[in-house]
Amino acid sequence: RMGVSGGFWHHEFWLPPGATWEDLKGSADTHYPQPQDLLLCIPGALLLIFVRCLFERTVALPLGRGLGVSDKQRPKVQPNATLESFYVLLGRTPKEEDLISLAKQSDLPIRKVEAWFRHRQAQDHPKLMKKFCEASWRFTFYFTSFFSGLALLYDKPWFWDPTVCWLKFPQQPLPPALGWFYLLELSFYCSLVATLPFDVKRKDFKEQIIHHIATITLIFVSYCANMIRFGVMVMLVHDASDYILELAKMLHYLKWQRVCDAVFVAFAVVFILSRLVVFPLIVYYYFVTKLPLFPISCLINAFLGVLQLLHIFWSYLIIHMIFSVILRGGKRQDARSDTEESDSSEAEDPAKNQ
């Protein structure tokens, strides 16, 4: 195995007691996962970023325009070097003493300084069309990956009976289609991390980063330890609700609110069933009960625990939003702002996914 018998790749770390890398030596007819395969995720992520840019320009943008997505006209701020340097270096929302000082320095009334900062923030706020294009891309990917995963798994006995998932583990040959599916998912999450600085910043930005790191680690580790069957099941459970969320966001940006609410409720049902019922009680339960403890299984356990905590956190936000906004008709927009179509009620608040 990569010519390494000890150290990082020691079999006792990666495989259950009694198994060695010799058990996973492939032949002409039988293929097992090789860690070096995962290096393909680098060109894979770059290719997905290119495909995304192409998709957003040639599909999502014309679609958004055709369906009536339009960006709000925002007041342009007067160039002001003093205020701009404070905004860039010290913060977007100056305190009262800062406002007084800036008003003196720029020879403007305090009210005008406040208005300048408000409009300057609005200028930086992501535009509606950008949000629509991003949601369209993620909808397309999640929809494709979920139904491709279903097509790959529906005839596999371990898809219908999770106990079969661990039969003869780790000596489970890797079907090429599942290997490519794994690589596609890893490439996608790597591309999401690479584009985070340029994408619309969500209110659950920190949770997203934790989620992406946990997901990438789980995909990498489970591939190397040949937990492919289990890994694909986890991916499928996660992808089941993501495309519905992205569709709800697209409908929200189109201001088709009734349809959006109905789709969001459908998303909430699928999210809670898949992540708070199917994932812990079926997929995760058999992982814990069928697999002996060894270092990598403990590491995977820890990361799955992190994901489950995120599921609970997002489920709380989703349920709260359904009760406060959809059922009680709460405010969908932040009344303070002429800054932008506020996200306070949007589908992106509750969950990201994923």
Side-chain angles (χ1 to χ4, degrees):
R1 186 81 167 201
M2 294 179 72
V4 179
S5 57
F8 182 73
W9 293 110
H10 197 279
H11 63 85
E12 286 183 357
F13 181 71
W14 287 90
L15 300 174
T20 69
W21 292 125
E22 289 298 311
D23 300 326
L24 300 187
K25 273 200 168 169
S27 66
D29 306 321
T30 312
H31 183 67
Y32 288 101
Q34 300 296 319
Q36 63 264 35
D37 298 344
L38 295 177
L39 291 173
L40 286 169
C41 78
I42 298 166
L46 293 172
L47 180 63
L48 278 176
I49 291 168
F50 172 75
V51 171
R52 173 186 167 172
C53 291
L54 202 63
F55 173 87
E56 288 188 2
R57 283 193 176 188
T58 60
V59 179
L61 198 60
L63 179 69
R65 282 182 184 147
L67 292 172
V69 176
S70 58
D71 292 318
K72 262 191 176 179
Q73 288 301 312
R74 297 165 178 165
K76 286 190 176 178
V77 296
Q78 292 293 318
N80 187 308
T82 307
L83 302 184
E84 184 66 30
S85 62
F86 185 97
Y87 181 87
V88 172
L89 301 171
L90 298 171
R92 295 158 55 130
T93 46
K95 293 174 183 168
E96 201 170 331
E97 58 267 29
D98 296 323
L99 282 172
I100 295 165
S101 164
L102 288 165
K104 283 179 184 171
Q105 287 174 53
S106 53
D107 198 24
L108 288 168
I110 289 178
R111 273 193 165 186
K112 281 208 168 177
V113 175
E114 281 179 327
W116 188 94
F117 275 91
R118 201 164 60 246
H119 294 152
R120 182 67 181 82
Q121 278 185 44
Q123 219 168 269
D124 279 357
H125 221 81
K127 292 186 175 178
L128 201 60
M129 185 61 87
K130 179 175 166 61
K131 292 181 177 184
F132 180 83
C133 289
E134 281 188 20
S136 302
W137 163 247
R138 286 193 300 266
F139 167 77
T140 304
F141 181 87
Y142 290 135
F143 183 88
T144 307
S145 68
F146 176 66
F147 287 100
S148 303
L150 270 185
L152 284 174
L153 297 191
Y154 84 98
D155 61 344
K156 307 286 188 290
W158 42 270
F159 177 67
W160 303 102
D161 180 3
T163 55
V164 181
C165 204
W166 299 106
L167 271 183
K168 298 183 180 176
F169 175 78
Q171 286 178 295
Q172 297 173 340
L174 172 67
L178 285 189
W180 286 111
F181 182 76
Y182 235 73
L183 198 59
L184 178 69
E185 290 273 339
L186 180 60
S187 300
F188 179 70
Y189 281 102
C190 289
S191 77
L192 284 187
V193 170
T195 58
L196 265 179
F198 314 102
D199 290 343
V200 173
K201 196 169 181 179
R202 313 286 170 197
K203 294 183 180 179
D204 58 354
F205 182 73
K206 288 175 186 171
E207 289 83 3
Q208 276 188 75
I209 292 172
I210 294 167
H211 178 271
H212 293 343
I213 291 168
T215 303
I216 289 168
T217 306
L218 283 168
I219 293 173
F220 174 83
V221 168
S222 62
Y223 187 87
C224 295
N226 198 25
M227 297 184 189
I228 304 293
R229 294 180 180 182
F230 172 70
V232 173
M233 296 282 279
V234 172
M235 289 173 189
L236 209 60
V237 166
H238 281 73
D239 285 348
S241 58
D242 288 344
Y243 70 93
I244 310 174
L245 172 64
E246 299 304 332
L247 179 60
K249 288 185 195 179
M250 290 164 69
L251 293 166
H252 177 80
Y253 303 142
L254 291 168
K255 298 185 170 56
W256 297 0
Q257 210 53 57
R258 285 189 178 181
V259 191
C260 170
D261 289 348
V263 170
F264 188 79
V265 170
F267 156 73
V269 171
V270 175
F271 184 93
I272 289 163
L273 281 177
S274 60
R275 305 209 187 184
L276 298 189
V277 179
V278 175
F279 177 69
L281 301 184
I282 299 174
V283 181
Y284 183 61
Y285 172 79
Y286 285 103
F287 173 77
V288 174
T289 55
K290 295 287 175 187
L291 207 61
L293 283 177
F294 56 101
I296 279 298
S297 74
C298 294
L299 179 73
I300 288 175
N301 245 318
F303 276 98
L304 290 174
V306 170
L307 283 185
Q308 192 55 31
L309 288 174
L310 287 172
H311 298 163
I312 293 163
F313 166 74
W314 281 321
S315 296
Y316 163 76
L317 290 182
I318 290 164
I319 292 164
H320 179 264
M321 205 196 96
I322 285 174
F323 278 99
S324 65
V325 177
I326 296 175
L327 297 181
R328 292 181 189 162
K331 285 185 183 176
R332 296 186 177 276
Q333 302 218 341
D334 188 334
R336 281 169 291 137
S337 111
D338 59 348
T339 58
E340 157 69 6
E341 304 75 10
S342 170
D343 295 337
S344 58
S345 73
E346 275 181 31
E348 59 240 35
D349 274 352
K352 241 352 291 114
N353 221 287
Q354 21 273 210

